[in-house]
Amino acid sequence: MGIKLSKVNFAYYVPKSLKKPVLFTLKDIDLNINSHDEFIAIVGHTGSGKSTLVQLLNALKFPSSGCININDEYIINKEIKVNDINSKKYRKALIKDPKLKFKLKPLRKNTGLVFQFPEYQLFEETVLKDIMFAPKNFLKDEKLAEERARKVSEIIGITDLLEKSPFSLSGGQMRKVAVAGILAADPEVLVLDEPTVGLDPIAKKDLLELLKELNEKYHKTIIIITHDMDVVSEYIKRVLVLKQGQLMYDGTKEELFKKEELINDCNLGLPTIVKVLKKLKAKLKTDINEYQYNITDAYNEIKRVIGENHE
């Protein structure tokens, strides 16, 4: 069970004239994501297709061609042609298809999406009502929705905010409320678009530790879009690198950061810790292993090298 993309292409516009080329935002994407225990970062330069990809994961957008399978529910059949799926006639047929509309609701419940600016997802009078909105919509039971909202608020650590207006909160608090509102619908996969942008260092660390706990303790699959290689270095298990709509890399962060040609080609940059250790290695001419991904490991590696040099 999970999400599988097979030969997926996406274009925002398909010209009627065959003489005009189709400009694909995503090209020939093959991808498998487990429904539990993954912690994935999607990285790439601006315009590489990151946001489009995550919107395909919960059927906010449909592929121009290819298949997306979420928990064995096919959204689009690969036989559908690009020109057909982008025609007005096909769009109207898509909206009127009762089977497809029936399938979309549970599929969207399966994959929760938190946009980059959480204020766009907050609109109720109180935090409690905002968190209740999604489960009330799915469960059709206000009492059960409130129970779930209160339980999620305990996990997130925001029980003291429940009676406050969401618009009176700090950026970090709003981000947590947005996450809580999605989690209350109990998705298997949680997707966040640039979750740390605009947060101060403390709020940023709090949010990332929360996501780590959701991944490790509650086995949620977490997918984040980020430009922050320090976040990738410290928290991420698996990295997807996009460039001009193509999937250039799918693997561990450890292997990624050793591929400096790919790093440079995709304008990603290295984590701060790796860059510092590289400079130390060059200056001290030691055998220091520069590929450390958190402060503790970097400290221990420096301590090891200093100890060996003084023996």
Side-chain angles (χ1 to χ4, degrees):
M1 300 285 277
I3 304 173
K4 182 178 181 179
L5 282 72
S6 301
K7 305 300 179 185
V8 166
N9 294 284
F10 180 85
Y12 281 94
Y13 171 70
V14 175
K16 293 181 180 179
S17 172
L18 295 177
K19 295 180 180 179
K20 296 181 180 179
V22 179
L23 301 177
F24 286 105
T25 303
L26 293 172
K27 307 169 190 174
D28 203 27
I29 302 293
D30 288 316
L31 184 63
N32 287 310
I33 297 172
N34 295 322
S35 58
H36 297 95
D37 298 313
E38 297 250 42
F39 203 152
I40 299 172
I42 303 175
V43 301
H45 202 261
T46 302
S48 60
K50 302 185 298 295
S51 294
T52 302
L53 177 59
V54 298
Q55 289 179 61
L56 287 171
L57 297 182
N58 77 339
L60 281 178
K61 297 191 187 309
F62 296 93
S64 300
S65 63
C67 276
I68 299 181
N69 179 325
I70 300 178
N71 288 344
D72 294 328
E73 293 288 343
Y74 283 90
I75 297 175
I76 291 293
N77 189 291
K78 61 185 176 183
E79 275 73 31
I80 293 175
K81 296 179 182 178
V82 172
N83 287 345
D84 292 336
I85 195 172
N86 284 277
S87 69
K88 289 182 180 179
K89 182 179 180 181
Y90 181 84
R91 289 289 183 182
K92 289 179 180 179
L94 189 67
I95 293 170
K96 291 178 181 178
D97 184 351
K99 289 185 179 180
L100 191 55
K101 288 181 74 176
F102 175 77
K103 290 178 182 178
L104 290 182
K105 192 170 183 179
L107 288 177
R108 286 176 176 159
K109 178 182 178 297
N110 178 82
T111 307
L113 179 58
V114 180
F115 292 99
Q116 183 173 343
F117 300 103
E119 57 268 29
Y120 294 163
Q121 290 177 266
L122 305 179
F123 56 89
E124 288 282 8
E125 295 175 355
T126 66
V127 167
L128 177 60
K129 288 182 178 180
D130 230 313
I131 299 173
M132 285 175 57
F133 180 81
K136 189 166 66 174
N137 184 42
F138 285 115
L139 300 172
K140 306 299 182 184
D141 184 323
E142 188 162 346
K143 184 177 180 181
L144 189 57
E146 182 175 345
E147 289 177 2
R148 185 171 289 183
R150 290 186 181 279
K151 182 178 180 180
V152 167
S153 70
E154 290 178 11
I155 294 171
I156 303 293
I158 54 171
T159 53
D160 57 325
L161 305 178
L162 292 180
E163 301 308 319
K164 293 186 177 182
S165 165
F167 304 106
S168 68
L169 307 179
S170 68
Q173 289 172 329
M174 292 177 77
R175 207 71 51 98
K176 286 185 176 182
V177 171
V179 171
I182 298 298
L183 280 180
D186 196 27
E188 291 181 343
V189 179
L190 181 63
V191 184
L192 303 99
D193 190 349
E194 296 283 5
T196 60
V197 168
L199 299 183
D200 62 65
I202 294 175
K204 174 180 172 180
K205 185 171 180 61
D206 284 347
L207 180 61
L208 289 168
E209 289 295 330
L210 168 62
L211 297 178
K212 182 179 178 182
E213 181 181 12
L214 292 172
N215 173 251
E216 294 180 351
K217 185 176 179 180
Y218 298 96
H219 305 287
K220 299 290 183 184
T221 281
I222 308 293
I223 303 173
I224 68 170
I225 293 175
T226 185
H227 287 90
D228 192 334
M229 291 301 107
D230 290 340
V231 170
V232 174
S233 171
E234 187 166 357
Y235 291 94
I236 298 303
K237 298 176 182 176
R238 176 182 174 192
V239 189
L240 308 177
V241 179
L242 289 175
K243 180 185 178 183
Q244 296 178 348
Q246 294 183 301
L247 185 60
M248 306 297 291
Y249 177 84
D250 179 358
T252 66
K253 63 189 176 189
E254 290 84 2
E255 289 301 315
L256 173 63
F257 292 132
K258 292 175 183 178
K259 296 179 180 292
E260 294 197 27
E261 186 175 340
L262 176 65
I263 293 284
N264 294 330
D265 187 48
C266 295
N267 297 304
L268 297 180
L270 290 169
T272 302
I273 290 173
V274 175
K275 288 191 285 189
V276 169
L277 291 178
K278 275 183 171 292
K279 289 183 178 179
L280 276 175
K281 183 176 182 177
K283 188 169 184 178
L284 301 177
K285 294 182 172 57
T286 67
D287 67 340
I288 192 168
N289 180 0
E290 64 267 41
Y291 296 107
Q292 308 298 326
Y293 302 106
N294 58 63
I295 293 293
T296 301
D297 289 345
Y299 171 78
N300 289 334
E301 178 63 13
I302 292 170
K303 187 177 177 182
R304 178 190 70 80
V305 171
I306 291 174
E308 288 180 356
N309 289 342
H310 281 79
E311 286 179 357

